[in-house]
Amino acid sequence: MDRSWLGHYLGEAAGVFLIVLFGDAVMFAAVLSGAVPDIITAGLGWGLAVGLAVWANATISGAHFNPGVTLVMALRRKFPWKHVVPYFVFQIAGGFIAAATLDLIYGQEIVHKLAELGLAKGAAGSQLVAMVFVPVTPNPGYVGIGPASVAAKLHVPDGWTQISLWQGFVGEFIATALLIVFILVLLEKRNTFGPAAWFFPLALGLGVMMLVVLEGPATMVSLNAARDLGPRIFIWLIGWGQQAFPGPRGDFWVTTLGPTAGAIAGGFFYDFVVLAWFPKEGVEAPPGRHEEEPLVAHAG
């Protein structure tokens, strides 16, 4: 294996590790304390996690940290196809290791929380705790977090009518498409207000925060199949059963396929619609734009 590309792969794993470690830590803190996760706090936590991951690893891997981003870069930015699958594998591995780390830290608290709610790990309703690891549709924090809410809303099929799986899929699709457009706009050299390289992670983190606020109440907002699959594989291996696969409603595809399809759509929308409104290369040099190499694109 080319040593330089091994560094890229490890950088991808490290980036997703940081995103899941710090992002899910917000969920752990909220759920294990018995509070409904505040959507602004959750958004801020995930946004800062993404920003820190980019600051730490962009120079090493190009800061994809997301299978959808990697696909867009391969389809539209000449990222080498032979590296797409290894990027996927290491991205998912980063999420897996982060989930294992959190379980190591909080394992006993998870057991106590399940006992407090009168739930068995992997049983119906235990998504009220599994949500600390993986996104669930609909967001259990908004369905309810106590035993009465479990009985009334989670064990009864009618309780699921608050949001359909297809609504969740469409929400993830739109949110991730917006994420990709936002990333590409930030990287666009012809964007007059494109940020300097050091500011890019903060701007991206703010975008992620607002997308969590937008979609979080519905699907807990994944935006990233690796962020979902890594922890999901881990909790399946430690006995969460259907809460991992196929999900409490058979919903895992909402937060894995939805973001991946949305990312691809966002990449094409940017190139064929948004980009047409920027000045042509070399015609106008917008003021105030530094000429740093794009963070996400450079790994190709």
Side-chain angles (χ1 to χ4, degrees):
M1 181 186 295
D2 186 325
R3 183 176 175 82
S4 66
W5 278 100
L6 176 59
H8 291 324
Y9 302 157
L10 293 173
E12 286 296 294
V16 178
F17 172 83
L18 292 174
I19 290 170
V20 174
L21 184 75
F22 293 127
D24 268 353
V26 175
M27 303 306 300
F28 272 83
V31 171
L32 295 180
S33 70
V36 175
D38 173 73
I39 196 65
I40 301 297
T41 302
L44 182 61
W46 282 103
L48 288 173
V50 169
L52 287 170
V54 175
W55 265 312
N57 294 287
T59 304
I60 299 171
S61 73
H64 293 192
F65 306 154
N66 186 328
V69 173
T70 299
L71 278 175
V72 169
M73 293 302 162
L75 288 166
R76 304 300 309 160
R77 297 294 185 275
K78 298 182 180 180
F79 181 80
W81 279 100
K82 67 180 180 179
H83 297 296
V84 167
V85 172
Y87 259 50
F88 288 177
V89 171
F90 278 81
Q91 288 161 355
I92 293 169
F96 181 98
I97 296 168
T101 302
L102 288 166
D103 187 67
L104 182 66
I105 297 170
Y106 292 109
Q108 284 304 308
E109 286 83 353
I110 291 171
V111 171
H112 292 155
K113 189 64 180 180
L114 286 168
E116 176 189 324
L117 294 174
L119 298 167
K121 183 167 75 171
S126 64
Q127 60 265 44
L128 291 170
V129 181
M131 66 184 285
V132 299
F133 288 106
V134 294
V136 180
T137 306
N139 185 335
Y142 288 82
V143 171
I145 63 169
S149 295
V150 173
K153 296 181 179 179
L154 296 182
H155 290 171
V156 181
D158 287 345
W160 293 123
T161 60
Q162 297 177 61
I163 180 171
S164 73
L165 296 186
W166 279 106
Q167 282 176 303
F169 178 90
V170 170
E172 286 285 342
F173 181 95
I174 293 171
T176 313
L178 288 171
L179 173 66
I180 297 301
V181 170
F182 190 46
I183 289 171
L184 295 176
V185 166
L186 289 175
L187 293 172
E188 180 57 57
K189 290 184 178 181
R190 288 169 286 173
N191 179 4
T192 303
F193 295 100
W198 66 267
F199 188 72
F200 174 92
L202 180 58
L204 179 58
L206 289 172
V208 169
M209 175 182 173
M210 295 314 299
L211 290 171
V212 172
V213 172
L214 171 69
E215 181 63 13
T219 65
M220 295 183 61
V221 71
S222 168
L223 302 176
N224 184 338
R227 169 269 179 275
D228 183 290
L229 283 173
R232 195 175 291 276
I233 292 168
F234 174 76
I235 66 170
W236 177 74
L237 289 173
I238 64 170
W240 283 89
Q242 69 172 10
Q243 299 301 329
F245 293 105
R249 300 175 66 195
D251 56 295
F252 86 95
W253 57 273
V254 172
T255 46
T256 53
L257 297 182
T260 305
I264 295 169
F268 277 90
F269 179 82
Y270 178 82
D271 281 352
F272 290 101
V273 179
V274 178
L275 204 56
W277 297 98
F278 281 99
K280 291 184 179 179
E281 199 105 37
V283 173
E284 264 182 63
R289 176 61 168 146
H290 298 286
E291 294 299 320
E292 292 93 348
E293 188 177 6
L295 289 171
V296 176
H298 95 277

